[in-house]
Amino acid sequence: GSVENKRTFPAQTADMSKISRDTYNESIAAVLKGSVENKRKFQETVELQITLKNYDPQKDKRFSGSIRLPHIPKPRMKICILGDAAHIEKANAISLPSMDVEALKKLNKNKKLIRKLAKQYDTFFASPSLIKQIPKILGPGLNKAGKFPILVNHEESLQEKADEVKATIKFQMKKVLTLGVAVGHVGMTPEQLLQNINQSVNFLVSLLKKNWQNVRSLTVKSTMGAPQRLY
């Protein structure tokens, strides 16, 4: 079983005791410098890579937890809403891709087309009236791809919901002792990266059974850059 933890309020940045502010700053500066020197054709993501110790993935509880970071780490994340008329109108107003019931019915439960749809987007939203119909209209395709839609009510702002999803990262223990998670991108300021990385580290440590005693190493790197050791 896994323990799901959700935290949306900013974790206090006071507990930087294990990693000094200087260490954070040096690592972040090195990552940003590397990305400027080797300019890529795309905006590199900044990843936090974690290696655990004193942890048995077979026996110990696998943990998973989500935290909303103060600055959006994945601005280019693709979201599509499966919406009713009102939601489609709202989606058009903020240039959010959308599909209505008719468009979904046209896929005709064709597995290939549904797989293609699932690949096209990172996340799906759905209106209350549509979410119940999805298994019937589309079959299990989105669910199999791990992309069953997130319910969005009409009282919620679509923009706010999209920003929340783009700002939320998930730590999930798999069968191996290493984890990697996107905590920012090279277009951010050093201070924004510091806040995101620090909150990610503190949150991850809070999920671990023995906290810092379960951490072997922490490194931060850009997609194509060299890893910088934090801990």
Side-chain angles (χ1 to χ4, degrees):
S2 75
V3 193
E4 176 71 46
N5 294 282
K6 272 207 178 337
R7 186 185 286 179
T8 47
F9 59 88
Q12 292 307 311
T13 38
D15 183 37
M16 291 165 77
S17 50
K18 291 276 176 190
I19 304 173
S20 71
R21 199 179 173 97
D22 287 349
T23 304
Y24 274 119
N25 286 338
E26 280 163 27
S27 301
I28 290 165
V31 166
L32 292 175
K33 183 170 179 266
S35 88
V36 169
E37 285 168 2
N38 301 299
K39 200 95 184 95
R40 308 284 168 180
K41 286 192 169 64
F42 63 98
Q43 189 175 58
E44 290 181 88
T45 298
V46 174
E47 293 167 20
L48 176 67
Q49 294 179 333
I50 303 109
T51 307
L52 303 175
K53 65 178 182 186
N54 306 332
Y55 218 95
D56 181 347
Q58 303 306 326
K59 286 207 283 275
D60 286 315
K61 236 193 169 97
R62 301 228 186 126
F63 58 82
S64 81
S66 305
I67 180 172
R68 181 175 180 169
L69 297 178
H71 312 285
I72 290 177
K74 302 169 283 194
R76 290 193 312 282
M77 192 178 183
K78 294 195 191 88
I79 302 172
C80 175
I81 181 163
L82 314 178
D84 56 24
H87 262 148
I88 294 219
E89 198 178 316
K90 283 182 184 166
N92 290 342
I94 61 166
S95 308
L96 185 76
S98 61
M99 289 177 83
D100 62 8
V101 162
E102 293 314 309
L104 295 176
K105 283 181 177 163
K106 278 196 187 110
L107 298 173
N108 213 7
K109 282 200 181 168
N110 178 320
K111 284 183 184 154
K112 216 173 186 173
L113 291 176
I114 291 164
R115 267 204 304 271
K116 193 176 158 192
L117 172 67
K119 273 207 183 97
Q120 216 176 333
Y121 296 100
D122 299 303
T123 299
F124 293 90
F125 290 166
S127 307
S129 61
L130 255 82
I131 206 156
K132 301 178 192 75
Q133 302 178 53
I134 283 164
K136 199 171 75 192
I137 301 173
L138 291 181
L142 288 184
N143 215 4
K144 274 188 183 151
K147 292 182 183 176
F148 193 79
I150 297 166
L151 174 67
V152 185
N153 291 310
H154 286 279
E155 305 80 73
E156 297 178 274
S157 146
L158 272 186
Q159 185 67 62
E160 167 55 34
K161 192 79 176 175
D163 287 347
E164 180 189 332
V165 167
K166 289 177 182 178
T168 300
I169 60 166
K170 184 169 187 170
F171 289 103
Q172 195 158 16
M173 175 79 191
K174 297 270 189 343
K175 289 189 172 106
V176 289
L177 289 178
T178 49
L179 300 155
V181 61
V183 290
H185 56 82
V186 296
M188 286 181 164
T189 66
E191 186 54 38
Q192 288 172 328
L193 280 170
L194 173 75
Q195 289 171 6
N196 272 11
I197 295 167
N198 178 51
Q199 288 198 17
S200 305
V201 167
N202 288 348
F203 180 63
L204 167 78
V205 171
S206 76
L207 293 177
L208 300 171
K209 199 162 75 177
K210 298 181 180 152
N211 303 108
W212 283 98
Q213 288 165 355
N214 285 134
V215 181
R216 169 155 286 145
S217 71
L218 292 169
T219 51
V220 56
K221 70 185 284 295
S222 65
T223 313
M224 313 293 284
Q228 306 295 329
R229 189 83 179 247
L230 279 176
Y231 177 78

